Amino acid sequence: MATDRLGIHAEASEWCCIDKIPQPPADVLQAVGNPRLRPARLPPLGLIGAVLGAPFIPLLVLLSLLSDAEEAIKRSLGTREEKERWRAKKEEDKRRDATIAQQGLGKVFDGDWHGDAGQFLLRWYSHSTHHQRLLLATQEGIVLAAPPQRVSVGREKHMQIVARLPATEATLVDPFFGEFETRMLLIRFRDGSWLRVDTEELRSDLHMYVLRQPLSDS
């Protein structure tokens, strides 16, 4: 699909999104022309779908609560081995959350608006007002594709390349080196700054591709 529509060969790809962009200082915004910092609102078709789906929200909440209750009962009635696996998973989640807090990865970027990541983040929605990006890893570097404008359906049909980051400028990094199963990846720039993206899939093809790459000296 990426080769046909975008004319490139991707080693791996995955749809991803970023967290909410914090408000930059006024002088930083003015220096780059007051760019857009939020995705566009849902188009009319998406709004209609949201309205039609609203009556089903209480049912979905109820089903989620029932699922949680069923999971709790299964854990209480499980075998010793199953309980040990659940406790191990809980401890792993705690270690993951502690690592995220320790490394400051709970935010969308490293916080330096003058760094390469901060400057790229400021142009994120100027490239495309869609809330998602198809992130592609190629031999030449990182490619980001998206519909130019936000769409509710048919994102693949409308997408085009919106940004390129050569391998000399930025690389993809799993900050946990595969230790934890997460959706998180970092785009790390050559100046050491970073931007966090969250993939749609846990431990996606992009994660597996990154883990196959040799570690750099940095």
Side-chain angles (χ1 to χ4, degrees), residues 22-43:
Q23 184 66 28
D27 61 326
V28 171
L29 272 181
Q30 290 177 356
V32 292
N34 295 300
R36 185 186 193 100
L37 299 177
R38 301 287 183 270
R41 296 180 182 274
L42 276 173

Side-chain angles (χ1 to χ4, degrees), residues 7-11 136-143 164-171 209:
I8 61 175
H9 173 72
E11 303 291 332
L136 305 105
T138 72
Q139 292 184 351
E140 293 76 27
I142 299 168
V143 175
R164 293 179 184 267
L165 292 169
T168 54
E169 294 184 11
T171 55
Y209 167 78

